[in-house]
Every structure is written in structure tokens, then in C-alpha cells.
Amino acid sequence: MNRKSFLRNAAILSLAAGVKGTAAFVKPGQGFNENKPAPDGANAAANKLPAWKGFNLTDFNTPRPALNRKYTSEEQLQWIADWGFNFVRLPIAYPYYLSFNKNRDIRPDEVFEFSNKRLDSIDNLVYLAHKHNLHVSLNMHRAPGYCVNAGFHEPYNLWKDKEAQDAFYFHWSMWAKRYKNVSGAKLSFDLLNEPSMRDDMNDQLSTSGPVPGALYHQVAKAALKVIHEQNSSRIVIADGNSMGNTPIPELADLPLAQSCRGYFPHAISHYKAPWANKEPEKLPVPVYPGKTGQQYFDKAAIEAYYKPWIELMNKGVGIHCGECGAWNKTPHSVVLTWFKDVLDVLAANKIGFSLWEFSGDFGILNSRRTDVAYEEWHGQQLDRQLLSLLQQYK
């Protein structure tokens, strides 16, 4: 299936193929943030988003993909569906689908040079996911002027430069036009991965604070406008502030859902991760439930972390957990015990989740953990215990 065929048949396919778990969708045009408090005693019923459950597919999330990079196969999408999941999130780095010379830093004028070949490859994965009844959330993981990750020199700053903001809107306008005929039951847009006020995109450990609410509102509103000009019922999601950790009440007047994270506490989820810790080898081995470092973590602490998200949900804002999981250095027994409590809290409030990632260091396949008895699965190394835990909540 090539790009033209996929886009030509998108409207037909969206009607012909149902998506599991979409009954909770609001009607087209109704929006997700009605800004109405839930009735007394109501909580979980307030979520306006379906409790999608699935995985992040990291095919396109790096600006300069390696030549030997392994991409998600149709067989793997079939596994996801067969295992009972209904959702995939596609984090995309915008330089991936540009045609500039990737051996040097990008220039501002090159941000608009789209590569049809690279766009076709994204179309193909979207098409194959839809073929297997998986809802796709298209996420701008690296946008013009911002990314939570280092490793690529941006020509400007999304939060400070109008030129960067205009490029951001241009890219979303392109995606909105490209998929304007694809049903909202099959495709949603996730505006920007884990926003924060980073100044140094080349320093992975640079400090960053929250984006000022008024500024986030300005950028989100303008992006939403270009998207809804093409399809007024497109579901659009905004990631939480401070790298996905805190809800954004300033956006509650916009028809936007919001995306939280399942990484609390980082002492467990990102144990020894070099991009998240200055001295990873000196960190105490995490304990759960129990005290790690100077803090005690248990299910009550997790419930407290999600309380602001649930309060926002009960005011009419759809909530989904766009990323969750733990890196492969966290003891597996700790991961399973801790993650069960995270999933319990999300499930109790009808909040869906998307594991980072399907295959890789955080995933159920090929995570390279040293304390897992892997099951050989069609040439892949399957963490059956983690998969079984996730399947309890599908």
C-alpha cells in the first residue's frame, strides 16, 4: 500500500474497519473539554477519552535513523492486536521526514523540505496499524525548536521564536491535510512530546521548568486551529507540562485532551538511566514499596501523584497516559510490583496507557534485562511476565 492509495482509501477504510474500545468517543464536533464538573460522587465516568491501551512504536523518533534500524513489521502489529491491545502511539522527530543534508545542522529554511519517501514510510505504518484495528496517535516527538531529548541542534526555540512557532503550525497543518479523511476513531494527534522550558537542546541533563501556562495556551490554540480547519472533529491531545508530569489547567477552555506519564517516581522508572541522572552509578537500588534514597514510595504516593490529573478529568478534560514503564536497569521484581500499582490507579479512573516501548529497553520485546527469563518468540526475546501484567488491564 503506497501513500496515494492509503490516503485515497482512508475514508473508506475508516468506515469499513472498526476499532476496539472506541465506544467512549464523544460525537464529532462535541469536543473533549466541556469544562463541566462531574456530578457529586462521580469520578472515573468523567473521562472523555477511551481507555486506549497499547504501545509506543519508536520507528520515527530519532532525527538521524541508523541504516540498520529495525522497523515495526506487520507481524508485530498483528501480535499487538492478538494480545488484546487497541492503540499505538507514533512519536515522530520532524527531521526524520525532511530531505536536508543530515550530516550537518539544519537551517531554518530546510525545516519545510519534506521528503515524500519518508512521509510514505509513516503512512505505511499508519495504514498497517489501522489494518489491524489499532488506533494511532501521531505525536510530534521533536518539533521545530523543541525536544525533550538532546542530540540534534535546533535552529531556533519553539517557546521564544515566532519563526519556530510558525514552522510548528505548518507541520501540523501538513499532517492535518494529509489525514483529513481518516476517522477520529482511528487517528488522533498528540501536539508535542513532554514540553518544558529547555534552553540548551544539546545538554541532555540541562535543567528545565514548566512552560508558562499562557504561552502553552497560545501555541496549543494556534496548532489546534490549523488542525481543525481540516477536520473539526480530530481528537487532539496536549502532553502535560514539565515534561509530561503536571496537568495544564490553562488549556481547559480548549477542545484538547491531555496526556500524563507513568514514570513516577523516576527513582524507579529511570534507575541508572544516563540521560536522566548525573551520577547514575551512585544511585541507591530502588525498593518498592519502601524507601529509595530519602523518600518512601507506595501506592498511596502514586495515587497522590495522579490526583491533579483525576481532578482535571472530572472537570471534563479527557486524559490518557501516553508513556509509561521502566528502563532495563531497574530490578524486574521491583518493576512488576510498582507498575501494577501504577496500572491499578490508571484503571480505577478509566485512564488508558501506552507503554514506552514495544520493542527495546523499556519494552516487552528485546529489553536486554539481565534478570529476566525471556521466552523466545518468533526470533524475538519476549518478557512474558511484563506482557501478562499489561494484559490484566487490556
Side-chain angles (χ1 to χ4, degrees):
M1 172 66 68
N2 60 34
R3 176 181 66 89
K4 290 182 179 179
S5 298
F6 168 61
L7 297 177
R8 183 180 65 244
N9 295 325
I12 298 172
L13 287 169
S14 68
L15 294 173
V19 178
K20 292 175 283 185
T22 59
F25 273 99
V26 296
K27 295 178 180 178
Q30 182 178 344
F32 285 89
N33 299 349
E34 296 177 348
N35 206 24
K36 297 178 181 178
D40 291 343
N43 49 24
N47 198 354
K48 299 288 175 57
L49 282 182
W52 294 310
K53 286 148 190 161
F55 303 89
N56 281 263
L57 304 180
T58 56
D59 297 46
F60 314 118
N61 74 314
T62 57
R64 299 183 179 93
L67 293 177
N68 61 350
R69 187 177 180 89
K70 294 183 178 180
Y71 292 92
T72 303
S73 67
E74 182 173 0
E75 184 181 34
Q76 290 174 319
L77 294 168
Q78 181 67 63
W79 298 343
I80 292 172
D82 287 347
W83 284 331
F85 302 97
N86 61 8
F87 177 89
V88 290
R89 181 174 181 259
L90 303 187
I92 301 173
Y94 79 92
Y96 171 85
Y97 57 82
L98 299 182
S99 59
F100 73 102
N101 182 351
K102 294 181 173 62
N103 293 318
R104 56 166 172 76
D105 291 343
I106 191 171
R107 300 191 306 262
D109 61 295
E110 294 174 319
V111 168
F112 304 97
E113 296 181 359
F114 298 136
S115 163
N116 285 331
K117 180 180 179 181
R118 291 293 180 86
L119 290 171
D120 286 350
S121 67
I122 297 171
D123 285 346
N124 186 61
L125 185 56
V126 173
Y127 163 74
L128 291 175
H130 288 168
K131 180 179 176 181
H132 294 282
N133 293 331
L134 301 171
H135 181 92
V136 176
S137 180
L138 200 72
N139 164 250
M140 193 80 75
H141 188 269
R142 176 177 289 276
Y146 178 79
C147 185
V148 71
N149 296 335
F152 183 85
H153 181 76
E154 289 295 333
Y156 32 43
N157 188 307
L158 177 63
W159 307 115
K160 297 181 178 180
D161 302 321
K162 183 178 183 301
E163 190 177 9
Q165 293 167 10
D166 289 343
F168 182 60
Y169 310 145
F170 186 87
H171 279 245
W172 272 121
S173 178
M174 180 273 293
W175 287 117
K177 291 175 183 176
R178 195 175 190 86
Y179 293 136
K180 66 182 297 181
N181 293 322
V182 178
S183 164
K186 300 176 73 65
L187 180 73
S188 57
F189 290 160
D190 183 339
L191 288 179
L192 180 67
N193 186 68
E194 300 180 359
S196 67
M197 287 301 291
R198 287 193 61 165
D199 283 324
D200 185 359
M201 297 296 171
N202 297 308
D203 179 5
Q204 189 68 62
L205 296 172
S206 64
T207 58
S208 57
V211 178
L215 177 57
Y216 199 159
H217 187 282
Q218 170 196 321
V219 174
K221 182 178 181 180
L224 188 65
K225 180 176 183 293
V226 301
I227 292 170
H228 280 173
E229 282 174 350
Q230 302 301 321
N231 185 330
S232 62
S233 62
R234 177 68 62 213
I235 302 158
V236 183
I237 301 169
D239 279 15
N241 216 334
S242 298
M243 298 184 288
N245 284 289
T246 59
I248 320 105
E250 294 90 347
L251 302 186
D253 66 318
L254 298 175
L256 283 167
Q258 296 191 26
S259 178
C260 62
R261 291 295 178 265
Y263 294 138
F264 176 83
H266 270 232
I268 292 176
S269 66
H270 286 68
Y271 173 59
K272 286 192 174 182
W275 67 90
N277 303 284
K278 290 185 177 180
E279 296 181 296
E281 296 305 319
K282 294 183 179 181
L283 294 172
V285 178
V287 176
Y288 186 87
K291 192 173 183 180
T292 298
Q294 300 302 311
Q295 292 183 273
Y296 186 90
F297 299 110
D298 59 6
K299 190 172 184 178
I302 293 172
E303 290 172 334
Y305 170 79
Y306 285 108
K307 184 179 179 181
W309 289 98
I310 295 165
E311 290 174 347
L312 186 64
M313 183 184 72
N314 288 336
K315 294 178 180 178
V317 179
I319 304 294
H320 185 260
C321 183
E323 292 183 21
C324 54
W327 197 45
N328 61 14
K329 296 300 185 290
T330 307
H332 199 237
S333 60
V334 173
V335 172
L336 295 175
T337 305
W338 158 77
F339 201 33
K340 184 180 188 306
D341 280 355
V342 172
L343 294 173
D344 277 349
V345 173
L346 294 174
N349 293 281
K350 297 186 179 178
I351 297 173
F353 63 83
S354 181
L355 184 75
W356 185 281
E357 53 205 308
F358 180 59
S359 178
D361 290 353
F362 283 71
I364 60 170
L365 293 177
N366 310 312
S367 63
R368 303 187 297 174
R369 296 182 182 277
T370 59
D371 57 350
V372 172
Y374 289 103
E375 175 183 331
E376 195 282 331
W377 180 265
H378 300 275
Q380 313 287 318
Q381 296 298 301
L382 172 63
D383 182 346
R384 176 65 72 173
Q385 285 182 290
L386 181 55
L387 171 59
S388 296
L389 174 62
L390 295 172
Q391 286 180 310
Q392 294 178 33
Y393 301 90
K394 62 182 175 58

